[in-house]
Amino acid sequence: FMQFRLIHINIFIIFLLIISLNLVDAATIYVNETGWWVNKFNSSSTPIKDAVEYAKENDTVFVVKGNYSENVIINKSISLISNGSRVTAKNPKKNVITIEDTSNVTVSGFTIFGTYTDYSGIKIYNASNCTIENCTLFKNGNGVYVRGTGSNPSKYNKILNCKIYKNDNGVK
């Protein structure tokens, strides 16, 4: 009976390992100026925003080079990557990209501009271990704005190899 029970426990552990491996499979979601796709194309007037909303933890949203007018909120651990896309604020009274209440986000390869004085190209709020790299941020209220609260500070964030100019504030 004891060997029978050990076999069942081992099978159960192997089953859990297989399930956990399937859960960490990350997808790549592709975006162009007219929509986004994983397996099928979804047309959209705000394809980056919609792809980010569709993404699951650890997914990558890859934005094909183009011109986009959007305001995007990232509230999960994803990578938002581009090869030179320009993103202007759809509503200049909002941040172009807001990373909030999450950790381990990467934003890379974008040119971001077009917010009013009190808003940012990229705002990191209550988020940690985020990386902004190879981006150009200009003509925003703040190029990059980092803020946390006492109970949820923003910490260990990195800004690497970015050009930040002609903003009211560069990094705040």
Coordinates of all heavy atoms in Angstrom, one line a residue, residues 43-131:
S43 N -8.7 44.0 -35.9 CA -8.6 45.4 -36.2 C -8.9 46.3 -35.0 O -9.7 46.0 -34.2 CB -9.5 45.8 -37.4 OG -10.8 45.7 -37.1
S44 N -8.2 47.5 -35.0 CA -8.4 48.3 -33.8 C -7.9 49.7 -34.1 O -6.9 49.9 -34.8 CB -7.6 47.8 -32.6 OG -7.6 48.7 -31.5
S45 N -8.6 50.7 -33.6 CA -8.1 52.1 -33.7 C -7.1 52.4 -32.6 O -6.4 53.4 -32.7 CB -9.3 53.1 -33.6 OG -9.9 53.0 -32.4
T46 N -7.0 51.6 -31.6 CA -6.0 51.7 -30.5 C -5.3 50.4 -30.3 O -5.5 49.7 -29.3 CB -6.6 52.2 -29.2 OG1 -7.7 51.4 -28.8 CG2 -7.1 53.7 -29.3
P47 N -4.5 49.9 -31.3 CA -4.0 48.6 -31.3 C -3.0 48.3 -30.2 O -3.0 47.2 -29.6 CB -3.4 48.4 -32.7 CG -3.1 49.8 -33.1 CD -4.1 50.6 -32.6
I48 N -2.2 49.3 -29.8 CA -1.2 49.0 -28.7 C -2.0 48.8 -27.4 O -1.8 47.8 -26.7 CB -0.2 50.2 -28.5 CG1 0.6 50.3 -29.8 CG2 0.7 49.9 -27.3 CD1 1.5 51.6 -29.8
K49 N -2.9 49.7 -27.1 CA -3.8 49.6 -25.9 C -4.5 48.3 -25.8 O -4.5 47.6 -24.8 CB -4.7 50.8 -25.8 CG -5.7 50.8 -24.7 CD -6.7 52.0 -24.8 CE -7.8 51.9 -23.9 NZ -8.8 50.9 -24.2
D50 N -5.1 47.9 -26.9 CA -5.9 46.7 -27.0 C -5.0 45.4 -26.8 O -5.4 44.5 -26.2 CB -6.7 46.6 -28.3 CG -7.8 47.7 -28.3 OD1 -8.1 48.2 -27.2 OD2 -8.4 47.9 -29.4
A51 N -3.8 45.5 -27.5 CA -2.9 44.3 -27.3 C -2.4 44.2 -25.9 O -2.3 43.1 -25.3 CB -1.8 44.4 -28.3
V52 N -2.1 45.3 -25.3 CA -1.7 45.3 -23.8 C -2.8 44.8 -23.0 O -2.5 44.0 -22.1 CB -1.2 46.7 -23.4 CG1 -1.0 46.8 -21.9 CG2 0.2 47.0 -24.1
E53 N -4.0 45.2 -23.2 CA -5.1 44.7 -22.4 C -5.3 43.2 -22.6 O -5.7 42.5 -21.7 CB -6.4 45.4 -22.7 CG -6.4 46.9 -22.2 CD -7.6 47.7 -22.6 OE1 -8.5 47.1 -23.4 OE2 -7.7 48.8 -22.2
Y54 N -5.1 42.7 -23.8 CA -5.2 41.3 -24.1 C -4.1 40.4 -23.5 O -4.3 39.3 -23.1 CB -5.3 41.1 -25.6 CG -5.3 39.6 -26.0 CD1 -6.5 38.9 -26.0 CD2 -4.2 38.9 -26.3 CE1 -6.6 37.6 -26.4 CE2 -4.2 37.6 -26.7 CZ -5.4 36.9 -26.7 OH -5.4 35.6 -27.1
A55 N -2.9 41.0 -23.4 CA -1.7 40.3 -22.9 C -1.9 39.7 -21.5 O -2.6 40.3 -20.7 CB -0.5 41.2 -23.0
K56 N -1.2 38.6 -21.3 CA -1.2 38.0 -20.0 C 0.2 38.2 -19.4 O 1.1 38.7 -20.1 CB -1.5 36.5 -20.1 CG -2.9 36.2 -20.6 CD -3.1 34.7 -20.8 CE -4.5 34.4 -21.4 NZ -4.9 35.1 -22.5
E57 N 0.4 37.9 -18.1 CA 1.6 38.1 -17.4 C 2.7 37.4 -18.3 O 2.6 36.3 -18.8 CB 1.6 37.4 -16.1 CG 0.7 38.1 -15.1 CD 1.2 39.3 -14.5 OE1 2.5 39.5 -14.3 OE2 0.4 40.2 -14.2
N58 N 3.9 38.1 -18.4 CA 5.1 37.7 -19.1 C 5.0 37.6 -20.6 O 5.9 37.2 -21.2 CB 5.5 36.3 -18.5 CG 5.8 36.3 -17.0 OD1 6.4 37.2 -16.5 ND2 5.2 35.4 -16.3
D59 N 3.9 38.1 -21.2 CA 3.8 38.2 -22.6 C 4.7 39.3 -23.1 O 5.0 40.3 -22.4 CB 2.4 38.4 -23.1 CG 1.5 37.1 -23.0 OD1 2.1 36.0 -22.8 OD2 0.3 37.2 -23.3
T60 N 4.9 39.3 -24.4 CA 5.6 40.4 -25.1 C 4.7 41.0 -26.2 O 4.0 40.2 -26.9 CB 6.9 39.9 -25.8 OG1 7.8 39.4 -24.9 CG2 7.5 41.0 -26.6
V61 N 4.5 42.3 -26.1 CA 3.7 43.0 -27.2 C 4.8 43.7 -28.1 O 5.5 44.5 -27.6 CB 2.8 44.0 -26.5 CG1 2.1 44.8 -27.6 CG2 1.8 43.3 -25.6
F62 N 4.9 43.2 -29.3 CA 5.8 43.7 -30.3 C 5.1 44.7 -31.2 O 4.2 44.2 -32.0 CB 6.5 42.6 -31.0 CG 7.6 43.2 -32.0 CD1 8.8 43.5 -31.5 CD2 7.3 43.4 -33.3 CE1 9.8 44.1 -32.3 CE2 8.2 43.9 -34.2 CZ 9.5 44.3 -33.7
V63 N 5.5 45.9 -31.2 CA 4.9 46.9 -32.0 C 5.7 47.2 -33.3 O 6.9 47.7 -33.2 CB 4.6 48.2 -31.2 CG1 3.9 49.3 -32.1 CG2 3.9 47.9 -30.0
V64 N 5.1 46.9 -34.5 CA 5.8 47.2 -35.7 C 6.0 48.7 -35.9 O 5.1 49.5 -35.6 CB 5.0 46.5 -36.9 CG1 5.6 46.9 -38.2 CG2 4.8 45.0 -36.7
K65 N 7.1 49.0 -36.5 CA 7.4 50.5 -36.7 C 6.3 51.1 -37.4 O 5.7 50.6 -38.4 CB 8.7 50.6 -37.6 CG 9.2 52.0 -37.7 CD 10.6 52.0 -38.3 CE 11.1 53.4 -38.3 NZ 12.5 53.5 -38.9
G66 N 5.8 52.3 -36.9 CA 4.7 53.0 -37.5 C 4.4 54.2 -36.6 O 5.2 54.5 -35.6
N67 N 3.3 54.9 -36.9 CA 2.9 56.1 -36.1 C 1.6 55.7 -35.4 O 0.6 55.3 -36.1 CB 2.7 57.3 -37.0 CG 4.0 57.8 -37.6 OD1 5.0 58.0 -36.9 ND2 4.1 57.8 -38.9
Y68 N 1.5 55.9 -34.1 CA 0.4 55.5 -33.3 C 0.0 56.7 -32.4 O 0.8 57.5 -32.0 CB 0.7 54.4 -32.4 CG 1.2 53.1 -33.1 CD1 2.5 53.0 -33.5 CD2 0.3 52.1 -33.5 CE1 2.9 51.9 -34.3 CE2 0.7 51.0 -34.2 CZ 2.0 50.9 -34.6 OH 2.5 49.8 -35.3
S69 N -1.3 56.9 -32.2 CA -1.9 57.9 -31.3 C -2.7 57.2 -30.2 O -3.8 56.8 -30.5 CB -2.7 58.9 -32.1 OG -3.3 59.9 -31.3
E70 N -2.1 57.1 -29.0 CA -2.7 56.3 -28.0 C -2.3 56.8 -26.6 O -1.4 57.5 -26.4 CB -2.3 54.8 -28.1 CG -2.6 54.2 -29.5 CD -2.6 52.7 -29.5 OE1 -3.0 52.1 -28.4 OE2 -2.3 52.1 -30.5
N71 N -3.1 56.3 -25.6 CA -2.7 56.4 -24.2 C -2.9 55.0 -23.7 O -4.0 54.4 -23.8 CB -3.7 57.3 -23.5 CG -3.7 58.7 -24.0 OD1 -4.5 59.1 -24.9 ND2 -2.7 59.5 -23.5
V72 N -1.8 54.4 -23.1 CA -1.7 53.0 -22.8 C -1.5 52.9 -21.3 O -0.6 53.5 -20.8 CB -0.6 52.3 -23.6 CG1 -0.5 50.8 -23.2 CG2 -0.8 52.5 -25.1
I73 N -2.2 52.0 -20.6 CA -2.0 51.6 -19.2 C -1.5 50.2 -19.2 O -2.2 49.3 -19.7 CB -3.3 51.8 -18.4 CG1 -3.7 53.3 -18.4 CG2 -3.0 51.3 -17.0 CD1 -5.0 53.6 -17.7
I74 N -0.4 50.0 -18.5 CA 0.2 48.7 -18.3 C 0.1 48.4 -16.8 O 0.7 49.1 -16.0 CB 1.7 48.6 -18.7 CG1 1.8 49.0 -20.2 CG2 2.2 47.2 -18.4 CD1 3.2 49.1 -20.7
N75 N -0.7 47.3 -16.5 CA -0.8 46.9 -15.1 C -0.6 45.5 -14.8 O -1.2 44.8 -14.0 CB -2.2 47.3 -14.6 CG -3.3 46.7 -15.4 OD1 -3.1 45.8 -16.2 ND2 -4.6 47.2 -15.2
K76 N 0.4 44.9 -15.6 CA 0.8 43.5 -15.5 C 2.2 43.4 -16.0 O 2.7 44.3 -16.7 CB -0.1 42.6 -16.2 CG -0.3 42.8 -17.7 CD -1.4 42.1 -18.3 CE -2.4 43.0 -18.9 NZ -3.5 42.4 -19.5
S77 N 2.9 42.4 -15.6 CA 4.3 42.2 -16.0 C 4.4 41.8 -17.5 O 4.1 40.6 -17.8 CB 5.0 41.1 -15.1 OG 5.0 41.6 -13.8
I78 N 4.7 42.7 -18.4 CA 4.8 42.4 -19.8 C 6.0 43.2 -20.3 O 6.6 44.1 -19.7 CB 3.6 42.8 -20.6 CG1 3.3 44.3 -20.6 CG2 2.4 42.0 -20.1 CD1 2.3 44.8 -21.6
S79 N 6.4 42.8 -21.6 CA 7.4 43.6 -22.3 C 6.7 44.3 -23.5 O 6.0 43.6 -24.2 CB 8.5 42.7 -22.8 OG 9.3 42.2 -21.8
L80 N 6.9 45.6 -23.6 CA 6.3 46.4 -24.7 C 7.5 46.8 -25.6 O 8.2 47.7 -25.1 CB 5.5 47.5 -24.2 CG 4.8 48.4 -25.2 CD1 3.8 47.6 -26.1 CD2 4.1 49.6 -24.5
I81 N 7.7 46.2 -26.7 CA 8.9 46.4 -27.5 C 8.5 46.9 -28.9 O 7.5 46.5 -29.5 CB 9.6 45.0 -27.7 CG1 9.8 44.3 -26.3 CG2 10.9 45.2 -28.4 CD1 10.7 45.0 -25.4
S82 N 9.4 47.8 -29.4 CA 9.2 48.3 -30.8 C 10.6 48.4 -31.4 O 11.6 48.5 -30.8 CB 8.5 49.6 -30.8 OG 8.3 50.1 -32.1
N83 N 10.5 48.6 -32.7 CA 11.7 48.9 -33.5 C 11.7 50.3 -34.1 O 12.1 50.5 -35.2 CB 11.9 47.8 -34.6 CG 10.7 47.8 -35.6 OD1 9.7 48.4 -35.3 ND2 10.9 47.1 -36.7
G84 N 11.2 51.2 -33.3 CA 11.2 52.6 -33.7 C 9.8 53.3 -33.9 O 9.7 54.3 -34.6
S85 N 8.8 52.7 -33.3 CA 7.5 53.3 -33.4 C 7.4 54.7 -32.7 O 8.0 54.9 -31.7 CB 6.4 52.4 -32.9 OG 6.3 51.3 -33.6
R86 N 6.6 55.6 -33.3 CA 6.3 56.9 -32.7 C 4.9 56.8 -32.1 O 4.0 56.5 -32.8 CB 6.4 58.0 -33.8 CG 7.8 58.2 -34.4 CD 7.8 59.2 -35.5 NE 7.2 60.4 -35.2 CZ 7.9 61.5 -34.9 NH1 9.2 61.5 -34.8 NH2 7.3 62.7 -34.6
V87 N 4.8 57.2 -30.8 CA 3.5 57.2 -30.2 C 3.3 58.6 -29.6 O 4.1 59.1 -28.8 CB 3.5 56.1 -29.0 CG1 2.1 56.1 -28.4 CG2 3.9 54.7 -29.5
T88 N 2.2 59.2 -30.1 CA 1.8 60.5 -29.6 C 0.6 60.3 -28.7 O -0.1 59.3 -28.9 CB 1.6 61.5 -30.7 OG1 1.3 62.8 -30.2 CG2 0.4 61.1 -31.6
A89 N 0.4 61.2 -27.8 CA -0.7 61.1 -26.9 C -2.0 61.3 -27.7 O -2.2 62.3 -28.3 CB -0.6 62.2 -25.8
K90 N -2.9 60.3 -27.6 CA -4.2 60.5 -28.2 C -5.0 61.6 -27.4 O -5.6 62.4 -28.0 CB -5.0 59.2 -28.1 CG -6.4 59.2 -28.8 CD -7.0 57.9 -28.8 CE -8.3 57.9 -29.6 NZ -8.2 57.1 -30.8
N91 N -4.9 61.6 -26.1 CA -5.4 62.6 -25.3 C -4.2 63.2 -24.5 O -3.7 62.6 -23.7 CB -6.4 62.0 -24.2 CG -7.0 63.1 -23.3 OD1 -6.5 64.2 -23.2 ND2 -8.0 62.7 -22.6
P92 N -3.8 64.5 -24.9 CA -2.6 65.1 -24.3 C -2.8 65.4 -22.8 O -1.8 65.7 -22.1 CB -2.4 66.3 -25.1 CG -3.7 66.6 -25.7 CD -4.4 65.3 -25.9
K93 N -4.0 65.2 -22.2 CA -4.3 65.4 -20.8 C -4.2 64.1 -20.1 O -4.7 63.9 -19.0 CB -5.6 66.1 -20.6 CG -5.7 67.5 -21.0 CD -7.0 68.1 -20.7 CE -7.0 69.6 -21.2 NZ -8.3 70.2 -20.8
K94 N -3.5 63.1 -20.7 CA -3.2 61.8 -20.0 C -1.8 61.4 -20.4 O -1.2 61.9 -21.4 CB -4.1 60.7 -20.6 CG -5.6 60.9 -20.1 CD -6.4 59.7 -20.6 CE -7.8 59.8 -20.1 NZ -8.6 58.6 -20.6
N95 N -1.2 60.5 -19.6 CA 0.2 60.0 -19.9 C 0.1 59.2 -21.2 O -0.9 58.5 -21.4 CB 0.7 59.2 -18.8 CG 0.6 59.9 -17.4 OD1 1.2 61.0 -17.3 ND2 -0.1 59.4 -16.5
V96 N 1.1 59.2 -22.0 CA 1.1 58.3 -23.2 C 1.2 56.9 -22.7 O 0.3 56.1 -23.1 CB 2.3 58.7 -24.1 CG1 2.3 57.7 -25.3 CG2 2.2 60.1 -24.6
I97 N 2.1 56.5 -21.8 CA 2.2 55.2 -21.3 C 2.3 55.3 -19.8 O 3.1 56.0 -19.2 CB 3.4 54.4 -21.8 CG1 3.4 54.2 -23.3 CG2 3.6 53.1 -21.1 CD1 4.6 53.5 -23.9
T98 N 1.4 54.6 -19.1 CA 1.4 54.6 -17.6 C 1.6 53.1 -17.2 O 0.9 52.2 -17.7 CB 0.0 55.0 -17.1 OG1 -0.3 56.3 -17.5 CG2 0.0 55.0 -15.5
I99 N 2.6 52.9 -16.4 CA 2.9 51.6 -15.8 C 2.5 51.8 -14.3 O 3.1 52.6 -13.6 CB 4.4 51.3 -15.9 CG1 4.8 51.3 -17.4 CG2 4.7 49.9 -15.2 CD1 6.3 51.2 -17.6
E100 N 1.5 51.0 -13.9 CA 1.0 51.2 -12.5 C 0.7 49.8 -11.8 O 0.2 48.9 -12.5 CB -0.2 52.1 -12.5 CG -1.4 51.6 -13.2 CD -2.6 52.6 -13.2 OE1 -2.4 53.8 -12.8 OE2 -3.7 52.2 -13.6
D101 N 0.9 49.8 -10.5 CA 0.5 48.7 -9.7 C 1.0 47.4 -10.2 O 0.3 46.4 -10.2 CB -1.0 48.7 -9.5 CG -1.5 50.0 -8.8 OD1 -0.8 50.5 -7.9 OD2 -2.6 50.5 -9.2
T102 N 2.3 47.3 -10.6 CA 2.8 46.1 -11.1 C 4.3 46.1 -11.0 O 4.9 47.0 -10.3 CB 2.4 45.9 -12.6 OG1 2.8 44.6 -13.0 CG2 3.1 46.9 -13.5
S103 N 5.0 45.1 -11.5 CA 6.5 45.1 -11.5 C 6.9 44.3 -12.7 O 6.2 43.7 -13.4 CB 7.0 44.4 -10.2 OG 6.5 43.0 -10.2
N104 N 8.3 44.5 -13.0 CA 8.9 43.7 -14.1 C 8.3 44.0 -15.5 O 8.0 43.1 -16.2 CB 8.9 42.2 -13.8 CG 9.5 41.9 -12.5 OD1 10.6 42.3 -12.2 ND2 8.8 41.1 -11.7
V105 N 8.2 45.3 -15.8 CA 7.7 45.7 -17.1 C 8.9 46.3 -17.8 O 9.8 47.0 -17.3 CB 6.6 46.8 -17.0 CG1 6.3 47.5 -18.3 CG2 5.4 46.3 -16.3
T106 N 9.0 46.0 -19.1 CA 10.0 46.6 -20.0 C 9.3 47.4 -21.1 O 8.4 46.8 -21.7 CB 10.9 45.5 -20.6 OG1 11.6 44.9 -19.5 CG2 11.9 46.1 -21.6
V107 N 9.7 48.6 -21.4 CA 9.3 49.4 -22.5 C 10.6 49.7 -23.3 O 11.5 50.3 -22.7 CB 8.5 50.7 -22.1 CG1 8.2 51.5 -23.3 CG2 7.3 50.3 -21.3
S108 N 10.6 49.4 -24.6 CA 11.8 49.6 -25.3 C 11.6 49.9 -26.8 O 10.7 49.4 -27.4 CB 12.6 48.3 -25.3 OG 13.8 48.4 -26.0
G109 N 12.3 50.9 -27.3 CA 12.4 51.2 -28.7 C 11.3 52.2 -29.2 O 11.1 52.2 -30.4
F110 N 10.7 53.0 -28.4 CA 9.7 53.9 -28.8 C 10.2 55.3 -28.8 O 11.0 55.7 -28.0 CB 8.5 53.8 -27.8 CG 7.7 52.6 -27.9 CD1 8.0 51.5 -27.2 CD2 6.6 52.4 -28.8 CE1 7.3 50.3 -27.2 CE2 5.9 51.3 -28.9 CZ 6.2 50.2 -28.1
T111 N 9.6 56.2 -29.6 CA 9.6 57.6 -29.6 C 8.3 58.1 -29.1 O 7.2 57.7 -29.7 CB 9.9 58.2 -30.9 OG1 11.2 57.8 -31.3 CG2 9.9 59.8 -30.9
I112 N 8.3 58.8 -27.9 CA 7.0 59.1 -27.2 C 6.9 60.6 -27.0 O 7.9 61.2 -26.5 CB 6.9 58.4 -25.9 CG1 7.0 56.9 -26.1 CG2 5.7 58.8 -25.1 CD1 7.2 56.0 -24.9
F113 N 5.8 61.2 -27.4 CA 5.7 62.7 -27.3 C 4.2 63.1 -27.3 O 3.3 62.4 -27.6 CB 6.4 63.4 -28.4 CG 5.9 63.1 -29.8 CD1 5.1 64.0 -30.4 CD2 6.3 61.9 -30.4 CE1 4.6 63.7 -31.7 CE2 5.8 61.6 -31.7 CZ 5.0 62.5 -32.3
G114 N 4.0 64.4 -26.9 CA 2.7 65.0 -27.1 C 1.8 65.2 -25.9 O 0.6 65.3 -26.1
T115 N 2.3 65.2 -24.6 CA 1.5 65.4 -23.5 C 1.5 66.9 -23.0 O 2.5 67.6 -23.3 CB 1.8 64.5 -22.3 OG1 3.1 64.9 -21.8 CG2 1.8 63.1 -22.7
Y116 N 0.5 67.3 -22.3 CA 0.5 68.7 -21.7 C 1.4 68.7 -20.4 O 1.9 67.6 -20.0 CB -0.9 69.1 -21.4 CG -1.7 69.4 -22.6 CD1 -3.1 69.5 -22.4 CD2 -1.2 69.6 -23.9 CE1 -3.9 69.8 -23.5 CE2 -2.0 69.9 -25.0 CZ -3.4 70.0 -24.8 OH -4.2 70.3 -25.8
T117 N 1.5 69.8 -19.9 CA 2.5 70.1 -18.8 C 2.4 69.1 -17.6 O 3.4 68.7 -17.1 CB 2.2 71.5 -18.2 OG1 2.5 72.4 -19.3 CG2 3.1 71.8 -17.1
D118 N 1.2 68.8 -17.1 CA 1.1 67.9 -16.0 C 1.1 66.4 -16.3 O 0.9 65.6 -15.4 CB -0.2 68.2 -15.2 CG -0.2 69.6 -14.6 OD1 0.9 70.1 -14.3 OD2 -1.3 70.3 -14.5
Y119 N 1.4 66.0 -17.5 CA 1.4 64.6 -17.9 C 2.7 64.2 -18.4 O 3.6 65.0 -18.7 CB 0.2 64.4 -18.8 CG -1.1 64.8 -18.2 CD1 -1.6 66.1 -18.4 CD2 -1.8 64.0 -17.4 CE1 -2.7 66.6 -17.8 CE2 -2.9 64.4 -16.8 CZ -3.4 65.7 -17.0 OH -4.5 66.1 -16.4
S120 N 2.9 62.9 -18.6 CA 4.2 62.3 -18.9 C 4.2 61.5 -20.1 O 3.2 60.8 -20.4 CB 4.7 61.5 -17.7 OG 4.7 62.2 -16.5
G121 N 5.4 61.4 -20.7 CA 5.5 60.4 -21.8 C 5.4 59.0 -21.2 O 4.6 58.2 -21.7
I122 N 6.1 58.7 -20.2 CA 6.0 57.5 -19.4 C 5.9 57.8 -17.9 O 6.7 58.5 -17.4 CB 7.2 56.5 -19.7 CG1 7.3 56.2 -21.1 CG2 7.0 55.3 -18.8 CD1 8.5 55.3 -21.5
K123 N 4.8 57.3 -17.3 CA 4.6 57.5 -15.9 C 4.7 56.1 -15.2 O 4.0 55.1 -15.7 CB 3.3 58.1 -15.5 CG 3.1 58.3 -14.0 CD 1.8 59.0 -13.7 CE 1.6 59.2 -12.2 NZ 0.4 59.8 -11.9
I124 N 5.6 56.0 -14.2 CA 5.7 54.7 -13.5 C 5.2 55.0 -12.1 O 5.7 55.8 -11.4 CB 7.2 54.3 -13.4 CG1 7.8 54.0 -14.8 CG2 7.3 53.1 -12.5 CD1 9.3 53.8 -14.8
Y125 N 4.0 54.4 -11.8 CA 3.3 54.7 -10.5 C 3.1 53.4 -9.7 O 2.5 52.4 -10.2 CB 2.0 55.3 -10.8 CG 1.2 55.7 -9.6 CD1 1.6 56.8 -8.8 CD2 0.1 55.0 -9.2 CE1 1.0 57.1 -7.6 CE2 -0.6 55.4 -8.0 CZ -0.2 56.4 -7.3 OH -0.8 56.8 -6.1
N126 N 3.6 53.3 -8.5 CA 3.5 52.1 -7.7 C 4.0 50.9 -8.4 O 3.3 49.8 -8.4 CB 2.1 51.9 -7.2 CG 1.6 53.0 -6.2 OD1 2.4 53.7 -5.6 ND2 0.3 53.1 -6.0
A127 N 5.1 51.0 -9.1 CA 5.6 49.9 -9.9 C 7.1 49.8 -9.6 O 7.8 50.8 -9.5 CB 5.3 50.1 -11.4
S128 N 7.6 48.6 -9.6 CA 9.1 48.4 -9.3 C 9.7 47.4 -10.3 O 9.0 46.7 -11.0 CB 9.2 47.8 -7.9 OG 8.8 48.7 -6.9
N129 N 11.0 47.5 -10.4 CA 11.8 46.6 -11.3 C 11.4 46.8 -12.7 O 11.3 45.8 -13.5 CB 11.7 45.1 -10.9 CG 12.2 44.9 -9.5 OD1 13.3 45.3 -9.2 ND2 11.4 44.3 -8.6
C130 N 11.1 48.0 -13.1 CA 10.7 48.3 -14.5 C 11.9 48.9 -15.3 O 12.7 49.5 -14.7 CB 9.5 49.3 -14.6 SG 8.0 48.6 -13.8
T131 N 12.0 48.6 -16.6 CA 13.1 49.1 -17.4 C 12.5 49.9 -18.6 O 11.7 49.3 -19.3 CB 13.9 47.9 -17.9 OG1 14.4 47.2 -16.8 CG2 15.1 48.4 -18.7

